[in-house]
Amino acid sequence: MRTTVIDRLTSSPAAALLALAGVAAGVLVGRGGLDTVVGCGVPGDSQPSRTAQDWITNADHVVVATPTAEQDTNRRDFAKGAIEYQTDRTVTFRTDKILWSSPRPREQLGRDFDMVSAGWNVHRDSGTRTKRTTAVAPRLEPGHTYLLALRRVSGQWAVLGEGAAVPFDHQTVGQGEWCGRTLSKDDVARGERFSRKDDHSLEKAAHGQDEQAVTRELERAETASRARGN
């Protein structure tokens, strides 16, 4: 079956809500265009990242973490166009709780860790800074909490992909910052109603629940993996 861009943007409850708000309807102008718009983007995972099985197969750790600081990095200047330069952000996280770890992690996770995340567009004429988002995923901002499936890659921590960074404000899966926007409890419920029924992601399975639901999904995936002899 062919997967359309709309399918990919509305597969998760949070993405479904953004589509309902008009993001998908009004901004679907191709990969480059989506990258410049707050709250939108086309998913592209470096590792399978959606299901609990993906997490226990590919991650080193699954963690509840809170950004405590951010710093601009990787500035890229442009000679022409409306954008004078772009930056990424180095985001420092506090490790609130490790929910799962691989039996053989590439590296142990400390009390704090850094990740590089989407940064800013700085406009040439006004000097205005606007948020950059690169996919249907959280931007990872201070003031919010996240559920992250982390993997050590080239000496740095990174999430597996867009499905491995989930809003987790108030200990609730799916509640909090998503693509630079803050989703309320009511938003979470609306997104759940309109998300795809064939979504088998961990986010969908534990949506609106607490860390115990996440742990149960990971344990079920481990049990199923052992039964298959993996």
Side-chain angles (χ1 to χ4, degrees):
M1 180 182 295
R2 181 184 177 188
T3 301
T4 68
V5 174
I6 288 287
D7 288 334
R8 298 172 74 187
L9 288 175
T10 58
S11 60
S12 75
L17 177 71
L18 293 180
L20 286 171
V23 174
V27 188
L28 294 183
V29 292
R31 182 179 295 270
L34 287 167
D35 285 347
T36 67
V37 176
V38 174
C40 208
V42 175
D45 290 352
S46 57
Q47 297 283 335
S49 70
R50 294 181 52 75
T51 67
Q53 183 64 51
D54 293 337
W55 287 25
I56 66 166
T57 300
N58 300 304
D60 292 313
H61 306 282
V62 175
V63 60
V64 177
T66 300
T68 57
E70 60 181 4
Q71 183 174 357
D72 289 355
T73 188
N74 299 334
R75 172 169 167 159
R76 300 174 294 281
D77 293 280
F78 303 104
K80 299 179 180 179
I83 304 301
E84 181 179 359
Y85 66 90
Q86 291 180 339
T87 72
D88 297 329
R89 292 173 302 133
T90 298
V91 182
T92 299
F93 290 82
R94 179 185 69 236
T95 303
D96 295 329
K97 188 172 184 179
I98 297 175
L99 302 184
W100 175 90
S101 290
S102 167
R104 293 180 294 278
R106 293 164 184 81
E107 187 170 315
Q108 297 298 326
L109 190 66
R111 290 182 295 178
D112 300 281
F113 62 94
D114 292 341
M115 282 201 307
V116 176
S117 188
W120 304 92
N121 289 322
V122 179
H123 295 260
R124 191 179 308 278
D125 292 340
S126 64
T128 301
R129 289 160 61 93
T130 57
K131 294 178 181 181
R132 291 183 55 242
T133 59
T134 55
V136 180
R139 187 170 177 268
L140 304 176
E141 298 181 340
H144 296 280
T145 300
Y146 302 91
L147 180 66
L148 307 172
L150 298 173
R151 181 183 176 95
R152 195 71 172 173
V153 180
S154 301
Q156 296 182 322
W157 290 112
V159 293
L160 298 177
E162 281 75 25
V166 178
F168 197 60
D169 284 2
H170 309 296
Q171 296 289 300
T172 302
V173 175
Q175 184 174 341
E177 182 269 320
W178 187 274
C179 292
R181 304 182 179 198
T182 300
L183 304 185
S184 68
K185 196 169 185 178
D186 290 342
D187 291 334
V188 171
R190 290 180 61 211
E192 171 71 16
R193 289 200 304 271
F194 287 93
S195 61
R196 283 173 46 180
K197 302 304 180 186
D198 61 347
D199 177 11
H200 302 297
S201 66
L202 186 147
E203 180 204 349
K204 174 79 171 185
H207 200 71
Q209 301 179 67
D210 60 13
E211 67 182 44
Q212 292 181 345
V214 176
T215 301
R216 284 196 300 270
E217 291 300 318
L218 296 173
E219 290 174 346
R220 286 171 183 164
E222 285 192 308
T223 299
S225 182
R226 286 194 296 268
R228 292 192 298 269
N230 294 342

